[in-house]
């Protein structure tokens, strides 16, 4: 068995930890598919070993050190420190995996699956709808875990709106963005291999998740965080700029396929996406509002869409189907483009 594993590794890998061209391409494709299957079927990793939880501990450690610096340079130091430590930890997992190709594939796919969160994204929305069928108070409690606003007195229509907003806003950072960056770096590696190619292929989406976590933890304009959170928030805005607009277009395409109002989806996206304080979050929310012919409202913050019909609990189910198809279409596109790139190369 040891000799067999050595033979396989010798065939697959070349000097410097590189992987030969064909096997690299197959690894890229199958790692994506298996990681998505892991997330959809099994859901999130246990909290104690989840990379995002580990990222959170790293961020909190350095935050407590650099927050004493009362200027925006503190945020820069936080990002650099968290990046270096996280990169080392990811490399240690990669180094362990290099012992055996199958072990490397398992570690790689599990870690890659933790860079996105399709199962949780869709299931939380479904849970709110189920809770609405039981009681308004239970639904208020459920939606309070999804949004930062006060949910104690939300009516049913505002609960539905908040759920759809949370679901569709997170299409970008819960799936499209990390896979977009996985795809971009995969193309680079197909044309130009570098030492330890698979490590860098894994690191890129994982670092996206790190920066997204940084923004979630410190990217707020409060007295405490306005300095240390400035740089992480801007990085998150930059990284999501292109993926959010791609995701919005895929919502429009999905609306057409599902016989929803695709034309209105595109119109509302172009008209209302910039109504949100974030430069990116409005694209998937506005396109969904247009597709469902509803209005999404966060009081004193934004209004997206026209109230062509009254929003209702069933709209959550429609939004979930729309989000599912958006994710499927985006994944299929990524795979087809990777195949095309491989043929060209």
């Amino acid at each position: 068995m040891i000799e067999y594993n050595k033979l396989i590794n010798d065939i697959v890998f070349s000097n410097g930890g590189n992987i030969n061209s064909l096997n690299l391409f197959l690894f890229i494709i199958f790692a994506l598919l298996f990681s998505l299957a892991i997330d959809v079927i099994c859901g999130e990793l246990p909290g104690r070993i989840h990379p995002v939880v580990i990222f959170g501990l790293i961020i909190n450690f350095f935050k407590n050190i650099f927050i004493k610096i009362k200027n925006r340079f503190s945020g820069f130091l936080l990002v650099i420190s968290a990046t270096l430590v996280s990169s080392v930890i990811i490399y240690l997992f990669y180094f362990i995996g290099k012992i055996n190709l199958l072990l490397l594939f398992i570690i790689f796919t599990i870690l890659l699956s933790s860079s996105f969160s399709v199962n949780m994204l869709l299931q939380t929305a479904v849970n709110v709808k189920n809770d609405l069928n039981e009681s308004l108070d239970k639904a208020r409690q459920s939606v309070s875990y999804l949004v930062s606003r006060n949910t104690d007195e939300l009516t049913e229509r505002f609960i539905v709106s908040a759920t759809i907003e949370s679901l569709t806003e997170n299409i970008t950072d819960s799936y499209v963005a990390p896979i977009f960056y996985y795809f971009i770096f995969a193309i680079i590696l197909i044309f130009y291999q570098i030492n330890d190619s698979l490590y860098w292929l894994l690191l890129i989406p994982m670092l996206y998740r790190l920066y997204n976590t940084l923004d979630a933890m410190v990217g707020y304009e409060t007295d405490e965080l306005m300095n240390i959170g400035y740089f992480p928030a801007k990085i998150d805005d930059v990284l999501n700029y292109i993926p959010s607009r791609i995701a919005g277009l895929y919502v429009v395409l999905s609306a057409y396929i599902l016989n929803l109002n695709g034309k209105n989806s595109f119109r509302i996206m172009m008209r209302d996406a910039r109504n949100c304080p974030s430069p990116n979050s409005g694209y998937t929310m506005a396109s969904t509002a247009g597709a469902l012919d509803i209005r999404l409202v966060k009081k004193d913050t934004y209004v997206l869409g026209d109230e062509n019909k009254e929003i209702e609990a069933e709209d959550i189910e429609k939004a979930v189907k729309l989000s599912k198809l958006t994710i499927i279409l985006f994944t299929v596109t990524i795979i087809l483009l990777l195949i095309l790139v491989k043929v060209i190369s």
Side-chain angles (χ1 to χ4, degrees), residues 99-111:
I99 296 171
N100 174 272
L101 181 61
L102 178 59
L103 178 62
L104 177 61
F105 184 80
I106 292 171
I107 291 174
F108 189 102
T109 53
I110 290 174
L111 289 177

Side-chain angles (χ1 to χ4, degrees), residues 55-301:
F55 288 161
L57 295 174
I58 295 169
I59 292 166
N60 196 55
F61 174 79
F62 286 111
K63 171 198 163 188
N64 291 334
I65 295 174
F66 296 126
I67 201 168
K68 299 171 186 177
I69 303 173
K70 301 301 181 181
N71 58 58
R72 291 176 178 176
F73 189 62
S74 60
F76 175 78
L77 292 175
L78 174 61
V79 169
I80 294 299
S81 301
T83 298
L84 290 174
V85 173
S86 299
S87 298
V88 169
I89 292 173
I90 294 168
Y91 185 80
L92 290 176
F93 280 105
Y94 166 76
F95 185 78
I96 294 169
K98 285 178 66 176
I99 296 171
N100 174 272
L101 181 61
L102 178 59
L103 178 62
L104 177 61
F105 184 80
I106 292 171
I107 291 174
F108 189 102
T109 53
I110 290 174
L111 289 177
L112 181 60
S113 73
S114 71
S115 72
F116 52 84
S117 184
V118 173
N119 183 295
M120 179 177 289
L121 175 69
L122 301 174
Q123 193 58 49
T124 49
V126 172
N127 290 343
V128 174
K129 182 181 183 298
N130 293 337
D131 290 342
L132 266 174
N133 294 333
E134 295 185 30
S135 75
L136 203 56
D137 287 336
K138 189 172 183 179
R140 285 170 179 157
Q141 182 67 30
S142 295
V143 82
S144 69
Y145 301 130
L146 306 180
V147 296
S148 57
R149 72 201 72 170
N150 187 347
T151 63
D152 292 342
E153 297 181 359
L154 288 184
T155 62
E156 178 175 327
R157 63 183 300 181
F158 280 108
I159 290 174
V160 173
S161 179
T163 304
I164 294 175
E165 291 163 46
S166 176
L167 166 66
T168 55
E169 177 185 3
N170 286 301
I171 290 174
T172 299
D173 54 17
S174 288
Y175 186 72
V176 172
I179 299 306
F180 171 78
Y181 289 109
Y182 177 84
F183 165 72
I184 294 298
F185 203 76
I187 291 178
I188 295 173
L189 291 181
I190 288 173
F191 284 101
Y192 308 101
Q193 283 203 49
I194 60 177
N195 288 344
D196 293 317
S197 298
L198 295 178
Y199 166 68
W200 296 104
L201 182 64
L202 176 62
L203 182 65
I204 299 304
M206 294 299 291
L207 286 184
Y208 169 82
R209 178 55 59 207
L210 170 68
Y211 299 143
N212 187 249
T213 306
L214 271 162
D215 179 61
M217 290 182 65
V218 301
Y220 299 97
E221 294 183 356
T222 63
D223 291 339
E224 180 192 20
L225 300 175
M226 63 183 303
N227 284 321
I228 199 168
Y230 178 82
F231 196 71
K234 292 304 178 184
I235 289 179
D236 188 72
D237 287 344
V238 170
L239 290 177
N240 282 324
Y241 187 87
I242 294 175
S244 65
R245 286 149 179 81
I246 293 174
L249 290 174
Y250 271 90
V251 171
V252 173
L253 177 60
S254 299
Y256 275 108
I257 294 174
L258 292 173
N259 291 320
L260 299 172
N261 198 337
K263 182 178 180 180
N264 193 49
S265 177
F266 182 77
R267 183 179 71 86
I268 296 298
M269 181 181 71
M270 298 304 295
R271 190 192 75 184
D272 291 351
R274 294 178 180 85
N275 290 353
C276 299
S278 164
N280 303 315
S281 62
Y283 284 86
T284 46
M285 290 194 292
S287 55
T288 299
L292 302 181
D293 285 314
I294 59 175
R295 176 173 289 167
L296 299 176
V297 180
K298 182 177 181 180
K299 290 182 179 180
D300 303 321
T301 306

Side-chain angles (χ1 to χ4, degrees), residues 8-20:
I8 292 295
N9 284 347
D10 288 344
I11 292 172
V12 173
F13 292 102
S14 60
N15 292 332
N18 287 338
I19 185 170
N20 69 51

